[in-house]
Amino acid sequence: MRIILDTANLADIRYFNTHFPIEGVTTNPTILSKEGGDVLALLREIRAIIGEEKELHVQVTETEYEKIIEEAKAIVAFLGKNTFVKIPATDVGLRATKTLSDEGYGITVTAVLTATQAMLASNAGAAYVAPYVSRLENICADGVGTVAEIAEIFATSGTDTQILAASFKTAKEVLDVAVVGCHTATVGSEVMHKLLSHPTTDTSIAGFAADWNKAFGDTTLLKLLSK
Ligand code: E4P
């Protein structure tokens, strides 16, 4: 399963883009509002950090059909190729998704909470649908199960639409959607760290270093091979 970073924090984007195999960055109005300041400069800097080949997902803020179309085109003109426009799963959003997808724009239909919303978004030509896993789990609904339903529907229809699961609060949720056939997940910084870190990994590494040092002192294989 591909992993995207779900933040607009520049320090986090620099760190994860350097160390983790991320495929891009997703934002939404809330994520951008947390950083504040000059939002266009922020988006331009995110694009500069990740480069033009990685995905940058930016959500529309307009709500009327004509304005969404205008705003979506302006976002892509500003941020260049591999920019995906996030449009919420509403009637107006589906209409805009169809129009923009027909014109070749990559649309991520977002705020997806049911498999039927995902099915309609796919039929409208969306490149991605973004089901909100934790927001469902938090209300005792089945977020992972919803992703599984979408994966099954998409596999049956043979659609090109991909699942971009979003809204994760735990590493286990990320694992669970991977197991049920999710294509891509967008993960915030805190959960991203939890996908990698494990205390036994740390103690294992410490043990290797201690044993090596006891036997060979402060040399390394590189130092020995460079002699
Ligand atoms: C993607 O960018 C989604 O908007 C995001 O994952 C939602 O996450 P939240 O439910 O933690 O706000």
Side-chain angles (χ1 to χ4, degrees):
M1 184 174 70
R2 300 161 72 244
I3 299 287
I4 291 181
L5 181 63
D6 198 24
T7 186
N9 181 274
L10 293 178
D12 285 356
I13 293 169
R14 284 192 191 95
Y15 169 77
F16 285 109
N17 191 56
T18 301
H19 294 89
F20 280 51
I22 61 165
E23 309 285 341
V25 167
T26 51
T27 66
N28 63 32
T30 302
I31 286 170
L32 292 173
S33 71
K34 281 180 190 158
E35 305 308 314
D38 182 341
V39 70
L40 293 184
L42 179 63
L43 288 168
R44 197 188 291 114
E45 185 59 21
I46 293 171
R47 174 52 86 201
I49 293 168
I50 65 175
E52 62 180 17
E53 298 305 325
K54 291 192 179 180
E55 296 181 9
L56 179 52
H57 296 244
V58 179
Q59 191 164 324
V60 292
T61 55
E62 294 284 352
T63 54
E64 303 295 328
Y65 170 77
E66 286 80 9
K67 288 291 182 188
I68 290 175
I69 301 296
E70 201 180 330
E71 189 176 39
K73 292 180 179 179
I75 289 168
V76 174
F78 182 67
L79 294 169
K81 68 177 190 175
N82 293 314
T83 298
F84 290 77
V85 179
K86 293 174 70 181
I87 299 179
T90 64
D91 53 355
V92 176
L94 285 180
R95 182 183 173 200
T97 297
K98 174 90 175 88
T99 301
L100 289 162
S101 299
D102 284 349
E103 291 183 31
Y105 288 89
I107 304 302
T108 299
V109 172
T110 193
V112 167
L113 281 307
T114 68
T116 54
Q117 290 175 331
M119 184 174 63
L120 290 169
S122 167
N123 292 350
Y128 288 108
V129 294
Y132 283 8
V133 177
S134 263
R135 291 197 192 198
L136 284 167
E137 300 283 342
N138 283 345
I139 55 169
C140 280
D142 190 357
V144 175
T146 301
V147 172
E149 286 174 347
I150 298 169
E152 201 172 332
I153 291 166
F154 284 6
T156 302
S157 69
T159 180
D160 290 333
T161 307
Q162 301 268 305
I163 304 170
L164 172 55
S167 179
F168 291 102
K169 294 290 170 284
T170 68
K172 180 68 163 56
E173 290 167 348
V174 178
L175 174 65
D176 288 346
V177 299
V179 169
V180 299
C182 182
H183 310 108
T184 307
T186 185
V187 179
S189 306
E190 200 178 322
V191 175
M192 191 78 87
H193 281 297
K194 289 176 180 161
L195 295 182
L196 180 65
S197 65
H198 195 288
T200 304
T201 301
D202 299 339
T203 54
S204 299
I205 293 167
F208 295 142
D211 292 343
W212 174 273
N213 289 341
K214 200 170 158 192
F216 307 114
D218 65 357
T219 192
T220 66
L221 280 175
L222 177 60
K223 285 178 188 168
L224 294 171
L225 291 165
S226 305
K227 276 185 181 163

